[in-house]
Amino acid sequence: MTSLDIQLLLTALVSVLVLVALIVSRIKLHPLLALLIVSVGVGFATGMEPESIVKQLTNGAGKTLGAVGVVIALGAMLGKILADAGITEQIAEAILRHSSDRMIPWAMTLVAFIVGIPMFFEVGLVVMLPLIFSVARKLEGQARFKGSAYVYVGVPVISALAAMHGMVPPHPGPLTAIATLKTTVGPTMLYGFLAAIPAMVLGGPLYGAFIAPRMRTKPDQALLDQFTLTEKATAVQQPSIALGVLAALLPAILMLIHAVAEMLLPKDAAAMQVASFLGNPLIAMLLGVLFAIVALVMARGGDTEKLRDALGKSLKPIASIIMIIAGGGAFQQMLTSAKVGDAIVHLTQQFAFPPLILGWLIAMLLSVSTGSATVGIVGAAGLLAPLAGADPSLNLPLLALSIGCGSLFFNYANHAGFWMVKESFGMTMGEATKTISVVQSIVAVVGLVMVLLFNALVGAH
């Protein structure tokens, strides 16, 4: 390691500490302002030119808004339509009717597991928020429930979505590792599903049952009113729950079709091009919103002017969330452009670890330091690719899975997902750390344990 590497690592560490201090100290700075200030500070501390700092800020924020912001806005619109039509209320009642209080987190884990197969973490969460809030709001009304119902219901969803996002193809992280290591999708997917089950159980229902009684988290009232059915918004003629579920899951279905097509069809096939277009998160969410408008509002003679006003109002509670996520994207881009990742790679080269542990460790350090799971996976897979080709005894699907698990560890203030959870649930920095950061760390560690277990069992045969 060089002195520059040490300087970069210290800069990354100090920047996160300063960010937290600006938000939680007496200054109480708005997270967007704190993120932008710290991002500029990282740029100057690492010797960037002023023009380059501005470019990286706008690129990072713009890229994040393009990839996540518009999708979240469309998800908010879909959630508002489903809430006003009474769909989320019906689904919530069905879950509560068929599940005891103790079984509700398990039911939510199963729903999130299904939704999470094709959907990115942030997209899956915005789709699940109306259901989380509806179930939690009803649960909160029961006098015997202690603690935060929103944490109790939300943590299993966060755990399941995170596990699927980092461990199971066709998510981009695992697919990137598979392509770089020149291994195959089938075994990696099988290992990923098997590893995800204990990971999301321990990080979800079990951890949620432990932490929820110790928290009082409650989302902003405006966001609650948007995603849950209120007396003022009661639907006169509620559509069938089957139609409502189809409207809610249509984006996930389109993304799943794309995922299956990627595994079965050649890239240049016409059907693959269609599936790729329809399964793009932005297009899939847009089609989901349009289908919900037609099927749940227009087909029932709904007032389109009221619908337009409702959709406009649905964006107001999430505007702050989207901008904070954009700030997180700018911070992440600044750390990545400053070559903090290279310093992490040089650090890991100082130690000798078995390949499966080394892959997890490199991906973890890169993800934590740069705020990007993708950077963690690309960096770890690229670094270990020569070793993968030279060692025929190395189980490459397990190495790809190990890298994916490592990229999930301790999602914190330089990750867009952290801010989405924090702001959506109305959490403090400490509460968000106890939920998404700890949950994803549990998932990542359990995933590594499962990788090592699988490797021992396969080796024994």
Side-chain angles (χ1 to χ4, degrees):
M1 288 186 66
T2 65
S3 58
L4 177 60
D5 292 333
I6 296 172
Q7 179 189 340
L8 288 172
L9 293 175
L10 288 174
T11 299
L13 176 61
V14 170
S15 66
V16 173
L17 295 176
V18 171
L19 174 64
V20 174
L22 289 174
I23 296 172
V24 304
S25 67
R26 289 185 179 180
I27 300 175
K28 299 291 183 187
L29 206 59
H30 189 278
L32 175 60
L33 295 176
L35 284 162
L36 293 177
I37 290 170
V38 171
S39 298
V40 172
V42 168
F44 281 118
T46 54
M48 290 187 188
E49 295 292 331
E51 287 185 7
S52 178
I53 292 175
V54 174
K55 182 179 179 181
Q56 298 304 329
L57 279 175
T58 53
N59 285 350
K63 184 169 63 176
T64 304
L65 280 177
V68 179
V70 179
V71 174
I72 292 174
L74 290 170
M77 290 183 172
L78 179 58
K80 180 62 174 173
I81 296 169
L82 293 171
D84 285 355
I87 298 301
T88 47
E89 189 82 357
Q90 291 184 66
I91 298 174
E93 286 177 352
I95 290 175
L96 290 168
R97 190 166 56 247
H98 295 97
S99 305
S100 64
D101 288 0
R102 289 185 177 181
M103 290 305 296
I104 286 172
W106 299 89
M108 296 300 293
T109 300
L110 178 61
V111 175
F113 173 80
I114 296 169
V115 169
I117 291 175
M119 284 192 165
F120 298 172
F121 177 85
E122 290 87 357
V123 180
L125 183 60
V126 77
V127 167
M128 290 291 296
L129 278 179
L131 184 57
I132 294 171
F133 288 176
S134 293
V135 172
R137 198 170 199 175
K138 286 181 172 293
L139 195 61
E140 187 182 37
Q142 300 176 3
R144 66 180 181 274
F145 189 84
K146 305 299 181 184
S148 172
Y150 300 91
V151 172
Y152 186 67
V153 177
V155 161
V157 172
I158 293 169
S159 177
L161 292 176
M164 300 306 291
H165 185 76
M167 297 185 189
V168 181
H171 287 279
L175 282 180
T176 300
I178 289 167
T180 305
L181 298 173
K182 295 182 171 58
T183 184
T184 50
V185 172
T188 309
M189 180 175 282
L190 178 60
Y191 284 133
F193 273 122
L194 293 174
I197 292 170
M200 64 187 185
V201 166
L202 287 170
L206 298 184
Y207 179 69
F210 167 77
I211 193 66
R214 295 163 173 80
M215 297 180 70
R216 296 292 180 268
T217 298
K218 185 173 182 177
D220 182 79
Q221 190 62 43
L223 206 58
L224 275 179
D225 291 341
Q226 173 176 320
F227 283 147
T228 56
L229 190 67
T230 60
E231 291 183 7
K232 293 181 181 180
T234 303
V236 177
Q237 179 190 354
Q238 290 188 345
S240 69
I241 192 168
L243 182 62
V245 169
L246 175 60
L249 293 182
L250 183 60
I253 294 169
L254 292 173
M255 292 184 203
L256 183 59
I257 291 172
H258 175 214
V260 173
E262 276 191 317
M263 292 184 284
L264 300 179
L265 299 175
K267 288 185 179 181
D268 55 353
M272 179 63 215
Q273 301 299 320
V274 174
S276 178
F277 175 74
L278 296 178
N280 178 279
L282 193 152
I283 300 299
M285 288 299 298
L286 175 61
L287 292 174
V289 172
L290 295 177
F291 177 81
I293 289 173
V294 173
L296 304 181
V297 181
M298 291 184 173
R300 299 188 300 121
D303 188 326
T304 52
E305 187 170 343
K306 286 184 179 178
L307 172 66
R308 184 182 64 186
D309 291 342
L311 294 182
K313 290 177 182 177
S314 74
L315 298 178
K316 293 179 181 178
I318 63 157
S320 178
I321 297 174
I322 292 175
M323 294 314 299
I324 291 170
I325 290 173
F331 185 32
Q332 171 193 315
Q333 180 68 36
M334 196 65 70
L335 290 171
T336 303
S337 300
K339 305 296 183 184
V340 173
D342 291 350
I344 292 291
V345 170
H346 297 157
L347 173 65
T348 58
Q349 290 173 340
Q350 309 298 310
F351 306 96
F353 292 102
L356 294 178
I357 296 177
L358 184 61
W360 186 94
L361 190 62
I362 295 173
M364 179 271 287
L365 291 172
L366 286 173
S367 177
V368 170
S369 61
T370 65
S372 171
T374 302
V375 169
I377 290 172
V378 171
L383 192 66
L384 295 178
L387 178 62
D391 186 356
S393 66
L394 186 58
N395 189 317
L396 297 185
L398 285 180
L399 180 59
L401 176 58
S402 175
I403 290 171
C405 292
S407 71
L408 295 173
F409 189 86
F410 205 72
N411 185 308
Y412 197 53
N414 52 354
H415 287 73
F418 175 90
W419 293 103
M420 183 171 179
V421 170
K422 177 186 178 300
E423 297 300 317
S424 296
F425 286 85
M427 294 176 173
T428 64
M429 291 292 289
E431 290 172 335
T433 304
K434 292 175 185 176
T435 50
I436 182 170
S437 301
V438 174
V439 166
Q440 293 210 188
S441 297
I442 292 171
V443 170
V445 172
V446 173
L448 175 62
V449 171
M450 294 302 295
V451 164
L452 298 177
L453 178 61
F454 292 151
N455 190 56
L457 292 175
V458 172
H461 290 78

